[in-house]
Amino acid sequence: MTTSTSRRLVLTRSAALVGAASSSLLLTEFAQAQSSKIRVGLMLPYSGAFAPLGVAIENGVRMAINEQGGKLGGREIEWFKVDDESDPSKGIENANKLVQRDKVDVLIGTVHSGVQMGIQKVARDSGVLSLIPNAGVHAATRSLCAPNVFRTSFSNSQPTLALGQAMVAKGHKKAVWITWKYAAGDEAFEGFKESYTKAGGTIVKELGLPFPNVEFQALLTEIAALKPDAVACFFAGPSGAKFMKDFAAAGLKGKIALYGSGFLTEGVLEAAGPAADGVMTTLHYSDSLETPRNKAFRLEYAKTFKMQPDVYAVQGYDTGLLLIQGANAVKGDLSKKPELYKAMEGAVIDSPRGKWTMSKSHNPVQDIYLRVAEKGENKVIGVASKALADSGAGCRMG
Amino acid sequence: MDFVNFLIQLLNSVQYGLLLFMLAAGLTLIFGIMGVVNLAHGSFYMLGAYLAWSLAAMTQSFTLAIILGTLLSVLFGLLLEWLLFRHFYKRDHLDQVLLTFGLIYVFEETRSILWGDDVHGVNIPNVLSASIPLTETLSYPVYRLFMSGVCLLLALGLYLLISKTRLGMKIRAGAFNHEMTEALGVNIKLIHALVFAMGVGLATIAGMVAAPVSSVYPNMGSQVLIMCFVVVVIGGIGSVKGALIAALLVGLVDTFGKVLLPQVAGMLVYVLMAIVLLYKPEGLFKN
Amino acid sequence: MSDSQAPLETLPRSLKILLGAGLLALAAFPFVGTDYYVQMVTRMMILAIFAMSLDLLQGVTGLVSLGHAAYFGVAGYVLAFLTPPGEPVSLWWTLPAAVGASALLALVIGFLVVRTHGIYFIMVTMAFAQMVFYVFFDNKALGGSDGIYINFKPEAILFDLENKKVFYFFTLALMVLVYGFLRRLLWSPFGRALAGIRVNEHRMRALGYGTFSHKLAAFSLAGALAGLAGFLWGAQSGYVNPELMGFHMSAHVIMMVILGGMGNFAGAIVGAFSFEYLLHVFKDLPAVGSFNLGKHWQLWMGLFIVALVILAPRGILGLFDSLLKGKAQHHD
């Protein structure tokens, strides 16, 4: 039988514990005093397979802002970061951490298209300025477009829209398409299908494997049996290197031409080795772009971060440039939304990829380059498509 | 699908199945003999892959990496058994599930701290990097034949160990009735430690050998773990023979499923499991 | 969780007082907390319902299911399929539809799975949940790996669920209802039979109980209640994806039940709240030097779980109980 003293002791101690726990939940919100700093929230993958992309994007953003003195419209910046782990199931929750809990003025994110949909929902519900530095999911600048959402990267079908014509021009009229079965893969296929069939090509078969599976063996066997002129694909990250290596190991290299949306060869050429030589891709950027702007950017980035920049770093950099232009136009007062959006809509971004502008649905209108991988470099051999814009179909803005 | 293609896909299935067998064999032995369910078994596979990558980079020799890696993993297995698992043989399955789930997190994060989160490739040693032309378009990588060879050798070794040696006899006796075995003077604690280390070793070797083919990336353990469980369920807990047959079945269903029925490929293996369980609720082969 | 130690079926009075205080705090919270935290606590309550449903299966009947999330996720998906993209759908028929779907799925899978025992049961429940996961993951028509968005919360007419406070109280009411229902069930003849099955199934069968049908009923009921939680989750977050049915979700809910203390449903609530709160704390840990403690929250979580299994197998409520009993012996 418990005595009253011991019972009281347990009760009071546990009440104290519960009290401490709940007050810590409330205290954090009181601590957010009014400040004159602009709150910038970064929602990027800092862990998992896309971690290097997240780091490159953040590097790019910071470099652009530091080049202009480290302030936005004259105001100091307070940074907030959330690791989205490339997990779509936590997308909304993570976005809300920045928007509702940390009350950021601008949300920069993210890489994975599935996670982006979560950010899009929060952005549309809350009206926060949302800048997309990578995720190419169509809906963000099509059916779910919004005046406060801007993208500085690409839409998933843009690179492949430029691929079809290039392949047919080289005489490769029968192709097999292969990718992961998720939004980015499906949308990349959309662009490929449209451009390839329009140019006169035939898609022999469409192969898919679950994301992020890299067991290609069975499908490579299937490709060999189909004997197409070429294979076109979309893979991003180190899985691209693996695909090229497996393709070569299966003896297909040299017998069947390999093409891809440019992400296939971005940042992975060293890992892929000779298996990548001769692979042709289309992308809105290339390391080897011989323009003074790109050369200066690459030098500065390498000096600052002790690594080579890639397309993700460029996209982050351009996001910083866009934000600066907008903030300057409203002299740092991001609450002046109509003026802010107008400035961003009309911005001309002097990017390492070349100058580009915003489409009506807030996606870049940009040149897509045709590149061939050679000895660890993506050599630009031409412009596959000039000033290509995303259709923006279903966007009810402007 | 023509005949040649069918044969090649069959070869692919067998290769995948044999790899699964390496993992499932360890899991089923540990279940069958010590009664421990180990959700962290996939982490050993991941450990093997990361060891292959870092040791190969350090020593510049894939062979040396495998030898070192196997030694390290067996030591790790012994340590883990002595420190933790040994105390859970008599505990509830629920406790074991919980413990090993916590371990998955610990292993995954330790890997993240030690080796980072990037995805890595492991290079196939030159002597094994050729491809054998099979049709006018398709060649089969020698390395995959090597993988199947290693798995087969280990499978044979396991079979010989368990059924033809004194140690194997003691292991089987311990599984059957460990109090009696202990009473007869067999050091059952040592047997358990050895079996556990063997299970860990098999899983790690699987990871090491598969690394060049599957790449080395975070979370690679959890994907293979579930397949492993399915194989053990279909084959029957504790039965190594069952694990082999089930692994080959799963390899077949998975490979041909991906090619013939891509819409349902992901769930075909579970349908197979459901069918097996309807007729044999304890798997194909009871121990 | 060893069978030899009886779970805390009867709560000591001091614990009851504490829980009552907790309920009052919950009722008052929306008036002092911000939107972000009101949503967080709502989420905790939804998970508490999920945990209680598993407690019926695991704590009371002794069936360890590693695939309980399947029934949680399916209900969320039912809401997603029934909600058109441009307008809300009525709460009053979608809620029963979703719960019914989960119950039906649990009945079908249960029929195949309840015939197995011990370790087989654990693995087979996991494998079937994975199957359900892949059905949704592999099929674009069902949303695929990217999931489906629910753009409008269900319409209740009598009250507005789009209002965060209203949704909070709706969830709180449901949580209390489920708790009351399950406690009544625990002491009913059906509940006593389930407890008997946990302690010794052979004996129950010898006494003439149809253990298969009892277990199947428990499995289906647990699935239905998990569906209730899943429906609320889909409605609150506005998004469903296959991870809701995944292995990690199933493992998390097991941990919540164990963390709190099994077999009395109050533990499930305590466990859900504590687990979510711990996750929140671990994820927000600051960086010490160049080592970001928060980034590696999984390590702290993993170590915590390992410590829990070794040191506090009866969970938080079990600890309280031991503390009280210990003090009593000390004073006597």
Side-chain angles (χ1 to χ4, degrees), chain C residues 9 15 18 117 123 136 145 166 206 231 240 259 268-269 318:
Chain C
E9 282 186 338
L15 271 175
L18 260 177
H117 292 86
M123 297 204 291
F136 287 90
S145 60
V166 171
F231 177 87
V240 290
L259 178 58
I269 298 180

Side-chain angles (χ1 to χ4, degrees), chain A residues 219-239:
Chain A
L219 294 176
L220 284 171
T221 310
E222 179 72 5
I223 289 175
L226 291 167
K227 298 205 197 34
D229 298 330
V231 168
C233 67
F234 168 73
F235 291 110
S239 318

Side-chain angles (χ1 to χ4, degrees), chain B residues 115-129:
Chain B
W115 284 302
D117 286 320
D118 290 343
V119 177
H120 300 286
V122 175
N123 286 322
I124 299 176
N126 280 330
V127 67
L128 292 168
S129 60

Side-chain angles (χ1 to χ4, degrees), chain A residues 92-250:
Chain A
I92 295 180
E93 184 190 326
N94 282 325
N96 273 330
K97 273 199 197 150
L98 289 171
V99 172
Q100 284 184 352
R101 187 191 64 176
D102 301 330
K103 303 215 193 328
V104 296
D105 299 305
V106 53
L107 197 164
I108 300 179
T110 177
V111 169
H112 188 286
S113 285
V115 178
Q116 194 66 46
M117 292 300 283
I119 296 182
Q120 192 74 8
K121 189 171 204 296
V122 171
R124 281 165 63 94
D125 287 346
S126 66
V128 75
L129 177 65
S130 167
L131 303 179
I132 308 177
N134 187 71
V137 58
H138 288 165
T141 54
R142 290 195 190 175
S143 54
L144 290 177
C145 69
N148 54 315
V149 174
F150 292 84
R151 179 147 57 195
T152 58
S153 51
F154 59 95
S155 66
N156 282 325
S157 56
Q158 267 179 312
T160 41
L161 269 173
L163 186 59
Q165 175 65 32
M167 285 173 70
V168 172
K170 292 241 183 292
H172 294 130
K173 299 224 175 81
K174 276 175 21 189
V176 166
W177 168 265
I178 179 172
T179 185
W180 281 314
K181 286 188 286 195
Y182 73 142
D186 297 335
E187 293 177 352
F189 178 62
E190 193 189 298
F192 175 68
K193 188 164 168 196
E194 190 186 313
S195 64
Y196 195 59
T197 46
K198 201 157 105 183
T202 329
I203 301 177
V204 171
K205 197 158 185 196
E206 192 195 332
L207 298 173
L209 61 166
F211 176 80
N213 200 308
V214 288
E215 219 354 292
F216 301 116
Q217 191 58 21
L219 294 176
L220 284 171
T221 310
E222 179 72 5
I223 289 175
L226 291 167
K227 298 205 197 34
D229 298 330
V231 168
C233 67
F234 168 73
F235 291 110
S239 318
K242 180 157 193 293
F243 183 69
M244 291 188 283
K245 278 163 69 174
D246 283 2
F247 191 83

Side-chain angles (χ1 to χ4, degrees), chain C residues 20-51:
Chain C
L23 183 61
L24 282 173
L26 273 179
F29 188 74
F31 302 108
V32 288
T34 51
D35 269 357
Y36 178 71
Y37 289 106
V38 167
Q39 283 195 305
M40 188 167 105
V41 177
T42 312
R43 208 165 44 236
M44 288 176 172
M45 291 194 289
I46 294 175
L47 290 171
I49 298 177
F50 186 30

Side-chain angles (χ1 to χ4, degrees), chain B residues 17-18 49 109 122 166 180 225 246 264:
Chain B
L18 283 173
E109 278 306 305
V122 175
R166 286 182 70 93
M180 185 59 107
L225 172 77
V264 293

